[in-house]
Amino acid sequence: MAQFNQTISVDCVIFGFDGEQLNVLLVDRTLTKEGQEIFSDLTLTGNHIYEDEELDNAAARILFDLTGVKDIYLEQFGVFASPERLNHPNDRQWLLANGRNPDSRIVSVAYFSLIATKEITLEWKGRNVKWYPVNSVGTLAFDHNQILSKALAALRNKLRSAPIGFALLPEKFTLSQLQKIYEIILGTELDKRNFRKKIARMKYLIPLNEKQKGVAHKPAQLYVFDRDIYEKSKTEMFDFSI
Amino acid sequence: MAQFNQTISVDCVIFGFDGEQLNVLLVDRTLTKEGQEIFSDLTLTGNHIYEDEELDNAAARILFDLTGVKDIYLEQFGVFASPERLNHPNDRQWLLANGRNPDSRIVSVAYFSLIATKEITLEWKGRNVKWYPVNSVGTLAFDHNQILSKALAALRNKLRSAPIGFALLPEKFTLSQLQKIYEIILGTELDKRNFRKKIARMKYLIPLNEKQKGVAHKPAQLYVFDRDIYEKSKTEMFDFSI
């Protein structure tokens, strides 16, 4: 039977977009003793890696166990290895209750992931999993607030040089939805005209002969993201921004 | 006495610029047995972290032990954890000769660093340290070719959104030297006029009332990078590139 490596774990910060807010997937963590609840809080989805397992495969395994889906966008963005990261009393209790040594050094290699839909079935080792708006996440377990914070910065930084916003949208989307994603991630309002001028240059943003259905307002035109065209255009990008 | 953590190490990919080429700092690794040389190759500068040590501090310690200098630009860019990474026969021999178990899992958290000058005194635990052009590095120890490769990609990527090229230049430099850095890192020739137009927008690029000295050609104007102005302007950058 495959052994877990005691020192190295992977944590996945999974982002989703519901049309209004950027959300993050968090798992319930409740410690009970003799039927009494000691404490309850939230954590990111994570797991130790197997002794013979690559990091990327561990992250993909976690995502697959959670969603039943493969090939989800995953990006490694940092390692969290503070000697203090598991030192909070709640965390020490949790580790002890799970047969772990609370003084052992465990580092976490963190990935962020982008999921387009909320309709996937979410399950994580029998515990409750829910979407929470990133702006109203309370105190998380371990150093997961720090990991989430760095994930947001990594997401923001990545969006500046690669069109990853599409990974959060449904297959067909409107330009207003695309602008909303950029505004939410970059944390600022963008001028509509400038935005549309900029994205007009995206050769991989393809307008469809189709409009929105079932909306109260005037239906807007739908677009898709053409991954093949994007992959080809990537090799031409020797540009840099100031 | 502080203990080393057996699983976690840090490797530093240290880049330098000599006016012509991008170079990387490599350390001699020679295995001798009973006075006979078994093999000789090169490695990056790295070390295990201490049990109570933060990753960033470990990287800074390695740089300081190597150069005697603090506050050198350092950026964490990835973790290398393949179960196979230490499996080459030379590597197993080296580990055994150094009293290490060649079957143990050791992961490396990798940083890249940029050094402006070659005039620092380089020393690494009594072994030879030299600059090598990144384009003509041969087969390195362990998975260090892969680490170097990823470091170059990370450097290229970072340059697209932050003016880190300055960290490789002397305090005062010419625009031609700056363009050379961008061309070498991005791996392509840039149009001189377009480049100058772009950098003219850099508020933190300050022309001096001074020209080059001791050059055969017509002396060019010298510039400096104003870090304070850059730090202030960073908060205004909500731009993104396509």
Side-chain angles (χ1 to χ4, degrees):
Chain A
M1 197 176 106
Q3 293 268 56
F4 278 120
N5 181 288
Q6 296 304 305
T7 308
I8 310 156
S9 64
V10 160
D11 277 299
C12 293
V13 184
I14 303 169
F15 292 115
F17 179 60
D18 61 13
E20 287 301 313
Q21 299 183 105
L22 190 65
N23 301 303
V24 62
L25 214 48
L26 298 171
V27 188
D28 201 70
R29 176 176 83 153
T30 303
L31 184 61
T32 45
K33 225 174 196 167
E34 291 148 24
Q36 288 273 67
E37 179 181 302
I38 312 291
F39 71 80
S40 189
D41 59 13
L42 297 166
T43 82
L44 298 166
T45 45
N47 206 204
H48 278 254
I49 67 175
Y50 289 112
E51 278 300 358
D52 61 348
E53 192 179 37
E54 299 272 357
L55 289 172
D56 287 357
N57 291 346
R61 167 172 61 82
I62 288 167
L63 277 183
F64 181 72
D65 286 351
L66 178 68
T67 66
V69 181
K70 299 189 177 186
D71 297 324
I72 295 179
Y73 181 89
L74 257 179
E75 178 127 350
Q76 191 191 97
F77 68 89
V79 190
F80 296 83
S82 169
E84 312 293 311
R85 59 185 297 267
L86 311 176
N87 250 4
H88 190 279
N90 278 359
D91 297 332
R92 295 181 66 87
Q93 281 194 70
W94 176 262
L95 288 165
L96 277 165
N98 281 275
R100 307 298 309 281
N101 172 9
D103 290 312
S104 53
R105 184 105 183 247
I106 303 174
V107 308
S108 175
V109 181
Y111 289 73
F112 74 78
S113 177
L114 306 175
I115 297 189
T117 173
K118 291 178 302 170
E119 286 134 27
I120 43 175
T121 317
L122 299 169
E123 211 212 79
W124 186 244
K125 305 184 185 303
R127 287 149 65 186
N128 279 333
V129 184
K130 269 176 59 190
W131 290 107
Y132 291 79
V134 300
N135 289 331
S136 52
V137 160
T139 304
L140 303 177
F142 311 115
D143 56 352
H144 288 189
N145 284 97
Q146 189 192 1
I147 296 181
L148 173 59
S149 197
K150 287 274 167 88
L152 281 162
L155 174 61
R156 191 170 304 136
N157 207 50
K158 183 80 184 185
L159 187 66
R160 289 215 178 91
S161 59
I164 55 169
F166 296 104
L168 288 163
L169 292 168
E171 195 198 329
K172 302 175 186 178
F173 51 86
T174 67
L175 294 186
S176 293
Q177 288 170 332
L178 184 61
Q179 179 167 345
K180 185 115 203 189
I181 291 260
Y182 273 82
E183 288 179 336
I184 283 183
I185 294 175
L186 296 177
T188 184
E189 270 188 54
L190 296 170
D191 175 76
K192 181 169 168 175
R193 221 167 9 154
N194 279 341
F195 182 78
R196 301 231 169 173
K197 252 179 25 186
K198 236 182 160 88
I199 64 177
R201 283 186 263 139
M202 287 181 179
K203 298 180 195 157
Y204 40 80
L205 180 60
I206 314 291
L208 297 175
N209 236 344
E210 214 179 309
K211 287 196 200 279
Q212 283 176 305
K213 285 188 176 57
V215 287
H217 53 77
K218 176 181 170 198
Q221 184 169 21
L222 292 172
Y223 291 73
V224 292
F225 169 64
D226 190 316
R227 181 163 295 284
D228 292 330
I229 297 182
Y230 171 63
E231 293 295 332
K232 288 204 190 78
S233 73
K234 254 198 327 193
T235 54
E236 300 160 8
M237 293 201 309
F238 288 122
D239 200 14
F240 58 94
S241 66
I242 303 300
Chain B
M1 195 177 105
Q3 293 267 56
F4 277 119
N5 181 287
Q6 294 305 305
T7 309
I8 310 157
S9 63
V10 160
D11 277 299
C12 293
V13 183
I14 304 169
F15 292 117
F17 179 61
D18 60 13
E20 286 302 312
Q21 300 181 103
L22 189 66
N23 301 304
V24 62
L25 214 49
L26 298 172
V27 188
D28 201 69
R29 177 177 83 155
T30 303
L31 183 63
T32 45
K33 226 172 193 169
E34 290 148 23
Q36 287 274 68
E37 178 181 303
I38 312 289
F39 71 81
S40 189
D41 59 13
L42 298 165
T43 82
L44 298 166
T45 44
N47 205 205
H48 279 255
I49 67 174
Y50 289 112
E51 280 297 1
D52 61 348
E53 190 179 38
E54 299 271 359
L55 290 172
D56 288 357
N57 291 347
R61 168 173 59 84
I62 289 166
L63 277 183
F64 180 72
D65 285 352
L66 178 68
T67 66
V69 181
K70 298 190 177 185
D71 297 324
I72 296 179
Y73 181 89
L74 257 179
E75 178 127 351
Q76 192 191 96
F77 69 88
V79 189
F80 295 83
S82 168
E84 313 292 314
R85 58 185 298 267
L86 311 175
N87 250 5
H88 189 280
N90 279 0
D91 297 331
R92 294 181 67 87
Q93 280 195 71
W94 176 263
L95 288 164
L96 277 164
N98 281 273
R100 310 295 311 280
N101 172 9
D103 290 313
S104 53
R105 184 105 183 245
I106 303 174
V107 308
S108 175
V109 181
Y111 288 75
F112 74 78
S113 177
L114 306 174
I115 297 189
T117 174
K118 292 178 303 172
E119 284 133 28
I120 44 177
T121 317
L122 299 169
E123 209 213 81
W124 185 243
K125 306 182 182 305
R127 286 150 65 185
N128 280 333
V129 184
K130 270 175 59 191
W131 291 106
Y132 291 80
V134 299
N135 290 332
S136 52
V137 160
T139 304
L140 304 176
F142 310 115
D143 56 351
H144 288 189
N145 285 97
Q146 188 191 2
I147 297 182
L148 172 58
S149 197
K150 288 273 165 89
L152 280 162
L155 174 61
R156 193 170 303 137
N157 207 52
K158 183 79 183 183
L159 187 65
R160 289 214 179 93
S161 60
I164 53 170
F166 295 104
L168 288 163
L169 292 167
E171 195 199 327
K172 301 176 186 177
F173 51 86
T174 67
L175 295 186
S176 293
Q177 288 169 333
L178 183 62
Q179 179 166 345
K180 185 114 202 190
I181 290 261
Y182 273 82
E183 288 179 337
I184 283 183
I185 294 175
L186 296 177
T188 184
E189 268 187 55
L190 297 169
D191 174 76
K192 180 168 169 176
R193 220 169 7 161
N194 279 340
F195 182 77
R196 301 229 169 175
K197 253 178 28 184
K198 234 179 161 90
I199 64 177
R201 284 186 264 140
M202 287 180 179
K203 298 179 197 159
Y204 40 81
L205 179 60
I206 316 291
L208 297 175
N209 236 344
E210 212 179 312
K211 287 196 200 280
Q212 281 176 306
K213 285 191 178 55
V215 288
H217 53 77
K218 176 181 169 199
Q221 183 167 20
L222 291 172
Y223 291 74
V224 290
F225 170 63
D226 190 315
R227 182 162 295 283
D228 292 331
I229 296 182
Y230 171 63
E231 292 296 332
K232 289 205 190 75
S233 74
K234 255 200 325 194
T235 54
E236 299 159 9
M237 292 200 312
F238 287 125
D239 200 13
F240 59 94
S241 67
I242 303 298

